[in-house]
């Protein structure tokens, strides 16, 4: 079966062309018995014991392909990571695409291939899918929507309500690589050090569970970055987070992009990092485990949780000059600034 | 206004050049600072070089700062 | 790990802060220092410098944020241009959320209007080459630092015969509003922190008038924490000795005469004209208009229908810009005027006085941490 040169509206209409697309592009990539039945819904084997977790996520990214990833891998990893962040082991995903008429078939194939690879790396199965098309000019090439289910095994309780004063805040790698890479690409900057950190987090976090670490809460700092994610968690836990600028690992290229475009690295997205809140006395053990895993080499303890205090913002950064700077939520989009 | 960042000039032709910082590079215009030399640190604003960093002046400032810091500082 | 900028060194910052605290003790009265560069506002807030300074030093923000001083009807004009249908607006990201009489650029973009966010005016030339059927209008804001980059793009477009690149002139120059502030008896400014990157172009001599005509000290300062603190220290020293001098403390990029090539291009393209400043009103010779021979590049001359401008009622941006009140003294500050839904322009840009205050200072005066 061959790959169409360009996507036509009819590829999403459910007729012969839709079938050709399924059989030519999707089935070869995601072969598994659940999907291959081609029924209206996938019937899953019995799940392991535990509570069921479910999530869904829509994905748009401009440009859709960038160093270190593309929409295909992002839409799989994003959903996998959302499950991991609540303590679940991710198992099954659905994956739907909205394609703009005229999209090159080869580009579609590349996104499908990287979604396949991402699913394989994460060890999840894509059991359901769908494709719709929109007329040319009514979409932006390709959008993806994914949903996922996973199981939270007995004994894991991950919630912002468990964060307490004395907890340490760990970041599993350098900050803002994904966001800085995208912004750099949009504004004519390039460099060998710029690539998205997009990756599944289940293996890395799985090591912490295996090591007996009592993770209180976890978040992947995607949109809005570390600052926004910390604000959300701080407001849910009614505590104060103090981060250290010195301790936050930042790749030199990412820092340069932020300087040049007037962006703040603490507000840019990561797509393969986790912020982990855990008891302060387990911080070193957790870092040792993270450092031993290829994805966690740059992990660092970047802050502490304190009781709320009058006169202080819920999230503060100790700057390089030693002063305290309140970190607000991101307001609006983060736009490059020249002024 | 006026975010301007020091970046190093890697190569140039008559009117434009490529500058870099920490391995991140961009094409910029040299129209506003035509005397720029390859290897020089330039001050870059909105895609244009507007000045070069005077290294001697920078060293002098750092020498002064070293007194406040109580440690030697260098570029 | 993070690249270390020696000019942000924490030990040097602490050392300077200690020295400032010591020196300030000998001051008889409180010193009010006005910065007139949005990047200083931003840098001071970002590095948390106010928290390191003694009570006797008061840092206030003047009209140094170019999007903050851009009047409502200029933005109305930009929006009217895009409504013509044959125009693509191109703009620095800073302008996107500035309120006009009706809507922001961000809002009209969400409704489908073509508005491109660019890092460089040169990127607008690229856009013009790729879209020959449209007029690419660059929204020309910014002070002396930015104006030459826009002038250079115009010169390049002229040389290349790229006919569909136009600008909406809105650039402004710094010295004239500073004269206004320095000469206003109601405004109590003791010294100026002079804009480092404006000075790269104009040269530090352009600010000699402050000392000569108004007896006020002015220090040309860079944007690293130590640059700002060194300038504060110099101002205290002058204050103690009753001196008023213009000092260039940013010698690594600023000279006395400035950037001659840039000034020449500025002169070729622009001519000084009266300009309206949000909050300050019309100031003679404080704007940069296109020279008549470049009228074909002037998007302000394209026919458009302009609405009656509506200034937000109750907004005290003008007094904030003159340093007469601190942002929280405006009745709109914090409710309803917040960075997500700015009423006045000072709440828009991260370097606007109100936005910087909202983000960085508002917690200090609050009863509880939330």
């Amino acid at each position: 079966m061959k790959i169409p040169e360009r996507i036509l509206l009819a590829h999403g209409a459910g007729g012969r062309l839709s079938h050709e697309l399924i059989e030519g592009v999707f089935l070869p990539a995601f072969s598994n018995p659940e999907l291959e039945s081609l029924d209206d819904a996938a019937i899953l084997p019995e799940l392991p014991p535990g509570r069921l977790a479910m999530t869904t996520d829509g994905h748009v990214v401009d440009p859709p392909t960038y160093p270190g990833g593309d929409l295909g891998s992002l839409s799989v990893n994003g959903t996998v990571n959302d499950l991991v962040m609540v303590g679940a082991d991710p198992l099954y995903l659905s994956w739907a695409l909205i394609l703009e008429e005229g999209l090159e078939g080869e580009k579609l194939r590349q996104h499908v291939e990287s979604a396949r690879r991402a699913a394989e790396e994460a060890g999840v199965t894509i059991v359901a899918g769908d494709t719709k098309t929109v007329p040319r000019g009514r979409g932006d090439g390709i959008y993806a929507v994914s949903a996922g289910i996973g199981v939270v095994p007995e004994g894991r309780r991950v919630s912002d309500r468990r964060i307490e004063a004395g907890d340490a805040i760990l970041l599993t790698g350098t900050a803002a690589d994904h966001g800085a890479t995208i912004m750099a690409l949009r504004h004519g900057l390039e460099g060998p050090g710029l690539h998205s950190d997009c990756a599944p987090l289940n293996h890395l976090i799985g090591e912490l569970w295996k090591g007996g670490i009592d993770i209180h809460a976890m978040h992947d700092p995607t949109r809005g970055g570390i600052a926004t994610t910390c604000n959300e968690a701080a407001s849910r836990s009614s505590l104060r987070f103090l981060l250290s600028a010195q301790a936050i690992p930042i790749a030199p290229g990412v820092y340069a992009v932020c300087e040049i475009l007037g962006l703040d690295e603490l507000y840019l997205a990561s797509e393969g990092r986790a912020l982990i809140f855990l008891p302060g006395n387990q911080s070193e053990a957790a870092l040792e485990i993270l450092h031993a895993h290829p994805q966690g080499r740059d992990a660092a303890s970047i802050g502490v949780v304190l009781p709320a205090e009058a006169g202080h913002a819920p999230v503060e950064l100790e700057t390089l000059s030693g002063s305290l700077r309140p970190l607000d939520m991101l307001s609006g989009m983060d736009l490059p600034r020249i002024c | 206004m006026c975010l301007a960042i020091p970046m190093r000039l890697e190569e140039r032709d008559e009117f434009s050049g490529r500058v870099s910082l920490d391995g991140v590079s961009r094409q910029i215009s040299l129209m506003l600072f035509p005397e720029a030399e390859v290897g020089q640190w330039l001050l870059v604003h909105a895609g244009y070089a507007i000045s070069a960093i005077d290294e001697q002046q920078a060293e002098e400032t750092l020498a002064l700062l070293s007194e406040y810091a109580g440690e030697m500082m260098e570029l | 790990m993070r690249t270390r900028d020696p000019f942000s060194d924490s030990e040097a910052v602490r050392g300077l802060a200690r020295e400032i605290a010591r020196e300030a003790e000998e001051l008889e009265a409180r010193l009010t220092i006005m910065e007139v560069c949005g990047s200083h506002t931003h840098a001071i807030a970002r590095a948390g410098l106010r928290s390191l300074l003694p009570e006797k030093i008061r840092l206030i923000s003047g009209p140094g944020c170019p999007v903050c001083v851009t009047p409502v009807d200029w933005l109305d004009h930009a929006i009217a241009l895009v409504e013509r249908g044959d125009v693509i607006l191109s703009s620095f990201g800073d302008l996107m959320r500035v309120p006009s009489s009706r809507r922001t650029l961000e809002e009209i973009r969400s409704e489908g209007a073509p508005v491109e966010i660019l890092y460089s005016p040169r990127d607008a030339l690229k856009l013009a080459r790729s879209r020959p059927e449209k007029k690419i209008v660059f929204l020309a804001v910014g002070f002396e630092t930015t104006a030459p980059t826009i002038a250079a793009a115009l010169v390049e477009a002229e040389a290349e015969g790229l006919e569909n690149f136009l600008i909406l002139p809105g650039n402004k120059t710094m010295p004239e509003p500073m004269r206004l502030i320095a000469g206003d008896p109601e405004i109590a400014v003791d010294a100026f922190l002079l804009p480092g990157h404006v000075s790269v172009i104009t040269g530090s001599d352009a600010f000699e008038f402050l000392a000569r005509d108004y007896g006020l000290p002015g220090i040309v300062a860079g944007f690293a924490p130590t640059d700002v603190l060194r300038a504060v220290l110099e101002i205290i020293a002058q204050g103690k000795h009753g001196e008023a001098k213009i000092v260039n403390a940013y010698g690594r990029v600023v000279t006395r005469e400035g950037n001659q090539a840039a000034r020449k291009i500025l002169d070729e393209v622009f001519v000084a004209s009266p300009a309206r400043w949000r909050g300050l009103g019309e100031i003679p010779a404080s704007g940069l208009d296109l020279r008549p021979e470049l009228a074909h590049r002037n998007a302000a001359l394209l026919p458009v229908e302009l609405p009656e401008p509506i200034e937000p009622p109750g907004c005290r941006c003008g007094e904030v810009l003159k340093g007469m009140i601190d942002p929280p003294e405006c009745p709109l500050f914090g409710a309803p005027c917040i960075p997500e839904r700015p009423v006045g322009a000072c709440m828009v840009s991260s370097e606007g006085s109100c936005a910087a205050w909202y983000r960085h200072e508002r917690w200090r005066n609050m009863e509880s941490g939330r």
Side-chain angles (χ1 to χ4, degrees):
Chain A
M1 200 64 64
K2 84 188 218 351
I3 299 159
E5 194 174 320
R6 282 189 186 278
I7 296 301
L8 306 175
L9 274 179
H11 279 115
R16 192 181 305 278
L17 282 179
S18 296
H19 278 276
E20 282 185 19
L21 202 59
I22 292 168
E23 297 196 353
V25 177
F26 294 106
L27 283 184
F30 309 118
S31 59
N32 61 71
E34 289 78 18
L35 186 70
E36 277 159 17
S37 75
L38 291 181
D39 283 328
D40 287 344
I43 297 175
L44 306 177
E46 199 166 326
L47 299 173
R51 286 167 301 153
L52 200 61
M54 175 166 185
T55 187
T56 185
D57 217 346
H59 302 272
V60 296
V61 57
D62 170 32
T65 303
Y66 42 83
D70 59 17
L71 187 75
S73 54
L74 181 70
S75 57
V76 168
N77 288 330
T79 297
V80 164
N81 291 345
D82 282 347
L83 292 168
V84 175
M85 291 303 107
V86 298
D89 294 327
L91 296 169
Y92 299 103
L93 259 57
S94 73
W95 198 58
L97 295 177
I98 296 165
L99 308 175
E100 185 185 5
E101 180 187 20
L103 177 77
E104 287 164 44
E106 175 54 25
K107 285 208 176 127
L108 172 65
R109 194 198 60 77
Q110 285 168 14
H111 286 294
V112 171
E113 169 58 18
S114 53
R116 181 197 68 75
R117 256 184 290 135
E120 189 178 276
E121 194 188 337
V124 296
T125 313
I126 294 178
V127 293
D130 187 35
T131 307
K132 292 285 190 298
T133 49
V134 292
R136 185 148 207 168
R138 301 266 294 276
D140 200 7
I142 179 167
Y143 301 131
V145 179
S146 48
I149 59 173
V151 167
V152 184
E154 196 59 38
R156 292 185 195 169
R157 286 187 305 127
V158 180
S159 158
D160 286 343
R161 282 167 199 87
R162 289 196 66 211
I163 301 174
E164 48 191 65
D167 276 6
I169 306 172
L170 308 190
L171 180 65
T172 60
T174 50
D177 297 75
H178 178 80
T181 300
I182 298 286
M183 289 304 259
L185 219 57
R186 282 190 203 156
H187 295 284
L189 298 169
E190 54 189 36
L194 292 177
H195 47 82
S196 170
D197 53 306
C198 187
L201 285 163
N202 50 336
H203 304 308
L204 180 69
I205 302 303
E207 294 297 318
L208 293 177
W209 290 125
K210 265 189 250 163
I213 301 296
D214 179 22
I215 299 172
H216 284 168
M218 252 188 304
H219 292 283
D220 51 344
T222 55
R223 282 174 301 179
I226 294 174
T228 304
T229 306
C230 279
N231 265 284
E232 287 162 358
S235 74
R236 279 195 286 264
S237 62
S238 301
L239 292 161
R240 174 180 168 223
F241 298 171
L242 180 59
L243 307 183
S244 156
Q246 177 80 58
I248 298 172
I250 311 246
V254 168
Y255 190 63
V257 168
C258 291
E259 289 276 291
I260 295 163
L261 296 178
L263 299 168
D264 189 332
E265 61 273 11
L266 300 180
Y267 290 87
L268 292 179
S270 301
E271 290 293 346
R273 308 284 187 233
L275 275 169
I276 301 171
F277 300 80
L278 44 69
N281 60 12
Q282 293 193 4
S283 166
E284 274 187 36
L287 281 174
E288 203 169 304
I289 294 169
L290 291 170
H291 289 158
H293 191 279
Q295 269 178 281
R297 270 194 332 253
D298 297 322
S301 174
I302 65 163
V304 292
V305 178
L306 302 168
E309 195 179 329
H312 289 274
V315 183
E316 282 182 315
L317 179 76
E318 186 182 0
T319 67
L320 293 180
S321 26
S323 60
L324 289 185
R325 166 159 80 96
L327 284 184
D328 229 334
M329 294 251 207
L330 175 65
S331 49
M333 279 188 305
D334 206 9
L335 300 172
R337 189 169 62 82
I338 67 111
C339 306
Chain B
M1 186 78 175
C2 317
L3 183 76
I5 302 299
M7 298 181 79
R8 189 175 180 273
L9 186 62
E10 304 295 345
E11 55 188 35
R12 65 164 296 168
D13 55 30
E14 195 177 355
F15 297 115
S16 60
R18 177 159 286 272
V19 289
S20 78
L21 174 66
D22 288 342
V24 175
S25 68
R26 196 189 199 277
Q27 203 67 30
I28 61 158
S29 167
L30 299 173
M31 261 175 89
L32 301 177
F33 196 69
E35 65 267 42
E37 289 169 21
V38 171
Q40 220 174 7
W41 282 86
L42 304 178
L43 192 64
V44 177
H45 171 66
Y48 288 79
I50 57 170
S51 176
I53 315 295
D54 182 326
E55 290 197 19
Q56 193 191 331
Q57 289 273 352
E59 295 290 354
E60 281 172 26
T61 303
L62 287 178
L64 185 76
L65 289 180
S66 300
E67 289 174 27
Y68 293 108
E71 63 191 20
M72 268 311 288
M73 294 171 57
E74 49 196 32
L75 278 176
Chain C
M1 293 284 158
R2 184 182 294 258
T3 311
R4 293 312 303 265
D5 169 19
F7 298 100
S8 303
D9 180 84
S10 58
E11 288 308 314
V13 167
R14 289 197 191 104
L16 277 161
R18 278 194 299 271
E19 183 74 8
I20 287 171
R22 238 189 329 265
E23 292 290 312
E25 274 177 29
E26 296 171 36
L27 283 174
E28 282 166 17
R30 208 168 177 214
L31 262 184
T32 298
I33 303 171
M34 176 180 272
E35 28 87 2
V36 285
C37 175
S39 287
H40 275 142
T41 315
H42 191 78
I44 288 166
R46 214 186 138 148
L49 294 186
R50 276 199 183 82
S51 69
L52 299 177
L53 292 175
E55 273 292 298
K56 276 192 180 154
I57 304 297
R58 177 173 176 243
L59 293 181
I60 62 169
S61 304
C65 158
V67 304
C68 301
V69 297
T70 299
V72 159
D73 58 334
W74 188 88
L75 278 151
D76 291 343
H77 203 137
I79 290 172
L81 281 168
V82 83
E83 282 166 356
R84 281 168 52 95
D86 62 346
V87 163
I88 297 176
L89 291 183
S90 54
S91 168
F92 294 129
D94 313 56
L95 266 177
M96 293 301 288
R97 276 194 287 271
V98 183
S100 72
S101 289
R102 292 172 299 173
R103 286 168 303 166
T104 64
L105 294 174
E106 194 174 46
E107 281 162 352
I108 65 161
R109 190 164 83 146
S110 74
E111 293 161 13
V115 183
E116 297 286 333
I117 299 169
L118 304 178
Y119 161 73
S120 169
R122 247 193 146 195
D123 297 341
L125 297 180
K126 262 187 238 163
L127 189 61
R129 286 181 204 114
S130 69
R131 300 295 300 272
E133 79 286 5
K134 294 277 190 185
K135 292 181 169 58
I136 308 303
V137 174
F138 189 78
L139 299 178
V141 291
F143 297 122
E144 288 93 331
T145 323
T146 311
T149 68
I150 296 165
L154 281 163
V155 168
E156 208 174 327
E158 280 291 287
E160 192 182 319
L162 191 63
E163 281 169 20
N164 62 330
F165 174 72
L166 290 81
I167 70 163
L168 183 64
N171 290 105
K172 292 182 165 52
T173 52
M174 242 16 269
E176 298 75 15
M178 290 174 68
R179 263 183 198 283
L180 193 84
I181 288 168
D184 189 333
E186 267 188 70
I187 307 170
V189 173
D190 298 309
F192 281 98
L193 197 63
L194 298 173
H197 292 154
V198 162
S199 304
V200 166
I201 306 296
T202 63
S204 58
D205 279 356
F207 295 100
E208 282 293 336
F209 72 91
L210 286 170
R212 190 183 59 229
D213 301 346
Y214 302 97
L216 291 174
I219 315 299
V220 178
F223 300 91
T226 62
D227 289 327
V228 175
L229 294 178
R230 278 196 302 122
V232 170
L233 198 55
E234 168 66 28
I235 288 169
I236 296 173
Q238 289 196 27
K240 282 203 314 201
H241 300 115
E243 290 174 332
K245 288 186 295 191
I246 303 304
V247 173
N248 177 9
Y250 196 24
R252 58 187 189 274
V253 290
V254 174
T255 60
R256 290 187 62 171
E257 10 354 280
N259 178 333
Q260 298 300 328
R263 290 173 65 177
K264 184 161 168 284
I265 286 184
L266 263 185
D267 270 350
E268 281 168 24
V269 170
F270 291 116
V271 57
S273 67
R276 272 166 314 98
W277 294 59
R278 202 187 288 233
L280 301 179
E282 182 165 306
I283 305 177
S286 68
L288 294 173
D289 207 352
L290 275 176
R291 288 196 171 275
E293 55 271 32
L294 287 169
H296 56 289
R297 303 269 174 205
N298 191 343
L301 304 177
L302 297 174
V304 288
E305 273 184 48
L306 289 175
E308 196 59 34
I310 306 165
E311 298 281 345
C315 171
R316 294 179 72 184
C317 267
E319 289 154 275
V320 171
L321 286 174
K322 284 188 260 189
M324 292 167 68
I325 61 168
D326 279 337
E329 292 171 58
C330 172
L332 305 185
F333 181 84
C337 188
I338 56 173
E340 288 78 7
R341 280 182 297 280
V343 178
C346 299
M347 190 57 94
V348 175
S349 160
S350 62
E351 48 173 66
S353 308
C354 294
W357 195 288
Y358 187 84
R359 291 213 175 85
H360 301 293
E361 310 285 343
R362 74 179 196 276
W363 301 101
R364 288 213 281 148
N365 308 317
M366 281 198 179
E367 277 299 298
S368 144
R370 59 195 59 245

